[in-house]
Amino acid sequence: MSEILFSHSYYYRLDPKQWKNKMPFPPLGTLYAAALMRKNGYKVNLFDTNLLDNPSSIVPALQKTKPKYLVIYDDGFNYLTKMCLTNMREACFEMISLGKKHGCLVMVCSSDSTDHYEKYLSKGADFIIKGEGEITLLELVNAIETNQPTNTISGIVYSDGTQTINTSKRNVLQNLDELPQPAWDLVNIESYRSIWKQSKQEFTLNIATTRGCPYKCNWCAKPIYGNRYNAHSPEYIVKEIEYLQQQFGVRRFWMCDDIFGLKPHWVQEFNQQLEQRQLKIKYFIQSRVDLLLKEDTIDALAQSGLEEVWVGAESASQKILDAMDKGTKVEEIYKATQLLKAKNIKVAFFLQFGYLGENKSDIQKTIAMVKALQPDNIGISVSYPLPGTVFYEKVKDDLKLKANWSDSDDFEMMFKGTYNSDFYRKLQRFVHKEFRKSQGIANLKSILKNPSRLNFKNTMSVLKLGYYVPSVLVDRWHLKMNENES
């Protein structure tokens, strides 16, 4: 069978903010596709770009393997690929060009190519795979290998020389257990482990238990896995965990689902499977505050090894949550946070500023919530228009000059919001400092009340108050001045 070289177009080194964190994850979506093609008799190799910084580094791999197919298959489980960062788009364009120079048929599957397939075809890609790509890729390569027509294959775009052929949309895969386990053996795990050592965090691998999200937040695009929600069985996931523990000695995992544990009783069954196989793990997830309040979900999560949960809090203004079609209540954020902390589970907030209609009062409510609830971590962004969303349609007329960030630390407001980009950049820094200041004050009070809680981490948090207290005052003044200028 013909040889396939798999790659993808996300380079951590080209995204300074992410590279600084030193916590890279292998391209899980790519590994699923490679595993399926190998199961069906194709010889596959992986050129993993994650830890590299130059698309031309693929040339030796092309020269060595001489593949018939170069499949640039992005990891749809990495939320950064949804943002279609221009640094990565340009890298992909160069990889397409290099693939063509080496005589490959080039196929691309990514969020950006799904949304902007004409750009990729113009750069020389032979086929664009739209949305979830494993089954489409298999059918496409099988058709080419047997000289069968491709225009009946759902989920592809290509040019026949005279016109662009855009076939019907493919339905997402419902029984995810039909897929073979990801081809983890293609990854140089030790290269990832060495980078993680620099982060001072325990080495962690990424696992996806589900695909898709049924909720309707109007700023969130789902170009790969759609609005459907499908789950692997607990047995499938626990088998993968067992393999990763035995093969690589990994005990900590990032469950990279959009929403973990949505399917009723899944978490409870997952916990039972771990107990039956006597597997002890630590993991962290993304979830929704309303889901965490259902049944005995938090108890089961705690028992199965949950270490931290990132929740899409977004805002402490109900007006803004409703405008986003978020479907959650501010009081649910408070209640879920309190319950998680009671179980010694860390809580982290995704916060989003700049949504249409946001005013000073809305911002102040969000800052007050952070100070009151004392999450363990926060991640801040400004509203980002993604193609295919209701939000994008509302602001698309403002996107003529810039429609994508160059990297995840760009932080440019691409539409006309209440305040300008400089204000939101300053706001991001201010909220982070206010967060750290409030943590330091809480730790100081805790130590004074109970000296046994004195440890290195708490001590450093208190000592840093010498920086954060005056810095917050300065940043508040800068914000006020910028607010008047916006």
Side-chain angles (χ1 to χ4, degrees), residues 372-391:
L373 290 180
Q374 289 288 303
D376 295 273
N377 207 346
I378 57 173
I380 299 174
S381 186
V382 294
S383 299
Y384 188 93
L386 292 168
T389 64
V390 172
F391 177 54

Side-chain angles (χ1 to χ4, degrees), residues 89 92-93 96-97 100 106-110 112-130 140 156-167:
R89 177 188 286 174
C92 188
F93 288 168
I96 291 170
S97 176
K100 296 307 295 178
V106 179
M107 301 169 179
V108 182
C109 179
S110 68
D112 196 37
S113 64
T114 294
D115 291 332
H116 302 288
Y117 56 80
E118 69 286 347
K119 296 181 186 295
Y120 288 78
L121 292 175
S122 71
K123 295 296 181 178
D126 294 289
F127 293 92
I128 305 302
I129 297 174
K130 300 181 296 180
L140 177 58
I156 61 173
V157 187
Y158 64 98
S159 174
D160 67 359
T162 60
Q163 62 178 331
T164 298
I165 308 298
N166 191 347
T167 67

